[in-house]
Amino acid sequence: MSAGRGAPGGAAAGADGSANGVASEGKIPESVLVVVHTPDLRVLLLERADHPGFWQSVTGSKERADEPLAETCRREVLEETGIDASRHELVDWGVENRYEIYPHWRHRYPAGVTHNTEHVFSLRVPAPLAVTLAPREHLRYEWLSWESAAERCFSWSNAQAIRALSARAVATGGGAR
């Protein structure tokens, strides 16, 4: 997919128990992308249950407008992988991607919402960890080299963030932060 076109991470089901996992007022069009990686730049990818063959990092929307982005990250990482992000190094990259939401996912948002703003974070873990998948969201997981992970992602913004890990590692003198 080319840059700037279509929803990078897609829409994940919410935790409110409603049909489609969406609150009655709809999803908040502000989300996080969390690239989970090791110091040697192995990256965790998850295969989407609603689109088999589509691989991505952890993604998810805010549950409430005032939810801090770091809280959204910790919640989504725990829900999607079983990893407690509070035990590892979570870094806000200060990068935002604005993209058009795929038309087939717009029903999950308030009427008239067509774009989402995605905030990029990384979570550094000491080594590849065992993952407990949310079966309604993901089918499988893999820990891959950053190069292989970037190639496998269907999302342009996710691939871009993974490719940036190498540059961030050089800039910080070691494992990307």
Side-chain angles (χ1 to χ4, degrees):
M1 184 177 314
S2 61
R5 296 186 56 202
D16 63 3
S18 63
N20 294 337
V22 180
S24 60
E25 64 276 1
K27 286 176 58 117
I28 297 168
E30 190 169 12
S31 65
V32 296
L33 167 67
V34 185
V35 179
V36 181
H37 68 92
T38 62
D40 65 350
L41 306 184
R42 294 191 55 79
V43 174
L44 174 64
L45 286 188
L46 309 169
E47 183 180 19
R48 293 183 63 101
D50 61 355
H51 286 90
F54 283 53
W55 291 80
Q56 66 181 55
S57 292
V58 172
T59 63
S61 296
K62 287 177 144 189
E63 284 191 338
R64 14 173 256 286
D66 66 345
E67 181 179 36
L69 292 169
E71 183 179 323
T72 305
C73 292
R74 287 188 293 272
R75 176 179 49 76
E76 289 292 340
V77 169
L78 187 61
E79 287 175 5
E80 295 186 14
T81 69
I83 296 170
D84 181 354
S86 67
R87 299 182 60 204
H88 305 285
E89 186 179 358
L90 180 67
V91 178
D92 182 347
W93 288 15
V95 173
E96 292 182 5
N97 297 306
R98 182 169 160 77
Y99 57 82
E100 185 174 0
I101 300 164
Y102 285 133
H104 65 275
W105 280 329
R106 288 187 190 160
H107 70 278
R108 297 177 176 183
Y109 295 85
V113 171
T114 60
H115 287 76
N116 184 73
T117 301
E118 173 186 78
H119 302 269
V120 181
F121 287 74
S122 62
L123 180 68
R124 188 169 73 160
V125 298
L129 302 174
V131 168
T132 302
L133 296 174
R136 291 182 58 194
E137 292 192 45
H138 299 103
L139 301 173
R140 295 184 294 157
Y141 74 92
E142 287 191 37
W143 288 94
L144 302 167
S145 69
W146 69 267
E147 299 96 339
S148 295
E151 287 301 314
R152 187 170 297 180
C153 284
F154 80 96
S155 156
W156 64 267
S157 68
N158 199 164
Q160 184 177 60
I162 291 169
R163 288 185 184 105
L165 280 174
S166 178
R168 292 180 73 86
V170 169
T172 61
R177 288 176 170 64

